[in-house]
Amino acid sequence: MATAPKVSKTDGKNNHDAADEQADKEQQEAIEQIDEVQNEIDKLNENASEEILKVEQKYNTLRQPYFQKRSDLIGKIPNFWVTAFVNHPQVSALLNEDDEEALQYLSKVEVQEFEDIKSGYRINFYFDQNPYFTNDMLTKEFHLNDTGDPSSQSTPIKWNEGKDLTKKTNNGNKGKKRSHDDQESFFSWFGDHGDAGADELGEVIKDDIWPNPLQYYLASEIDEETGGDGDDDLDDEGNFDEDEEGEEDGEEEAEVEGEEEDEEEEG
């Protein structure tokens, strides 16, 4: 029986090195090809972003007449906006009693996104004549600078003498946990431009409250009727959940039928 020829150690090492070199070459080629494919994906993503932005701009324009109609109707409801703010968990945490009193005079809120949408937005707060300040409108605006850095600016509040809510802090409680009434005023937000890119209140008003303020205005009424937190009974559009109403009706019908059966058996 013929035996396999012996391979010298040198030949074996050379074959192994050649195999490693080929594997490295194939791996490098694969990486280069992946990079090329990724570039194509990135181009599609850029195109998609541009198309999505065009759609957002189109529908933002189409929504404006409805926003105006909604504002006109909201104007018929006293204290609509302060109620919506108080019922919103994140905003209410920023309000003290003095803020709530001042916001009783808030008659209208509107969010205006810049025409290109991506460069920023402004929030306008309209006030009836009130004892706190003389402004009939307060505005805070968020935008991207030429360098791409976020910044903000706002209307200076013209406080009446002795009514500046941003200066009503309890200095005697320094070092102690502040109570709800001692916390910084909601109106201090207008003068806070330290970190415009992380302004949570502006984002909450723009992205959460403004699209559907009715759901927050109604939240307290729903709580009283259901004993719940209100949100469970509203769908994403701020309407009552018909499924839950149907379940409740079904339970009531079942109870009535059960009582009728019991009465028949007793008879």
Side-chain angles (χ1 to χ4, degrees):
M1 182 175 178
T3 58
K6 293 183 179 180
V7 179
S8 67
K9 292 182 179 180
T10 303
D11 291 340
K13 184 176 183 299
N14 290 339
N15 291 338
H16 183 71
D17 290 344
D20 288 345
E21 184 177 345
Q22 180 63 26
D24 290 342
K25 182 180 179 181
E26 292 176 355
Q27 181 175 323
Q28 183 60 36
E29 290 177 352
I31 290 174
E32 292 174 358
Q33 291 172 358
I34 291 172
D35 186 52
E36 292 176 0
V37 174
Q38 188 61 50
N39 288 336
E40 295 299 323
I41 294 173
D42 292 341
K43 288 179 182 178
L44 288 174
N45 289 339
E46 290 177 7
N47 292 338
S49 297
E50 293 175 1
E51 293 296 324
I52 291 170
L53 184 59
K54 290 178 182 178
V55 172
E56 289 180 347
Q57 291 171 336
K58 172 186 175 181
Y59 281 93
N60 188 50
T61 300
L62 293 174
R63 281 191 290 263
Q64 296 312 308
Y66 295 96
F67 284 149
Q68 183 58 51
K69 183 176 181 179
R70 186 181 70 183
S71 291
D72 292 342
L73 294 170
I74 286 175
K76 299 178 180 180
I77 303 175
N79 300 325
F80 179 94
W81 284 107
V82 66
T83 303
F85 283 175
V86 168
N87 288 341
H88 190 285
Q90 289 173 269
V91 178
S92 64
L94 304 176
L95 304 177
N96 58 41
E97 288 188 8
D98 288 333
D99 292 332
E100 292 182 24
E101 288 293 328
L103 289 173
Q104 300 285 334
Y105 299 92
L106 179 61
S107 59
K108 179 181 177 182
V109 174
E110 64 180 5
V111 174
Q112 298 176 329
E113 294 190 89
F114 297 162
E115 187 173 351
D116 64 355
I117 295 182
K118 61 183 180 181
S119 65
Y121 62 96
R122 70 174 57 88
I123 306 176
N124 299 325
F125 301 79
Y126 296 83
F127 288 86
D128 294 330
Q129 186 174 358
N130 64 82
Y132 295 93
F133 45 79
T134 59
N135 309 71
D136 56 8
M137 182 177 74
L138 299 177
T139 296
K140 188 163 186 179
E141 182 177 299
F142 301 86
H143 55 88
L144 295 177
N145 294 329
D146 295 336
T147 59
D149 296 325
S151 64
S152 64
Q153 60 188 43
S154 60
T155 306
I157 303 177
K158 300 175 182 178
W159 295 101
N160 290 325
E161 186 176 355
K163 294 293 186 176
D164 188 343
L165 300 182
T166 65
K167 293 182 179 180
K168 289 188 175 183
T169 57
N170 192 337
N171 294 325
N173 284 341
K174 284 187 176 180
K176 298 180 181 179
K177 184 176 180 181
R178 293 186 302 177
S179 70
H180 182 66
D181 294 333
D182 295 332
Q183 70 184 32
E184 190 175 62
S185 171
F186 166 84
F187 291 92
S188 298
W189 171 71
F190 288 93
D192 182 5
H193 306 292
D195 190 0
D199 194 303
E200 293 183 6
L201 179 55
E203 293 295 323
V204 165
I205 294 174
K206 178 175 76 76
D207 296 330
D208 195 10
I209 296 179
W210 174 249
N212 186 359
L214 183 62
Q215 64 179 324
Y216 293 107
Y217 175 79
L218 295 176
S220 60
E221 295 182 10
I222 296 170
D223 287 349
E224 292 175 1
E225 293 176 2
T226 65
D229 58 11
D231 292 340
D232 293 340
D233 297 326
L234 291 175
D235 59 19
D236 293 338
E237 302 299 325
N239 301 317
F240 288 102
D241 191 327
E242 295 181 357
D243 292 339
E244 290 190 7
E245 291 179 350
E247 290 176 3
E248 292 175 358
D249 291 341
E251 290 175 359
E252 291 176 358
E253 290 177 1
E255 290 177 1
V256 171
E257 290 176 358
E259 291 174 358
E260 291 177 350
E261 290 176 358
D262 291 341
E263 290 176 358
E264 291 176 358
E265 290 177 359
E266 291 175 359

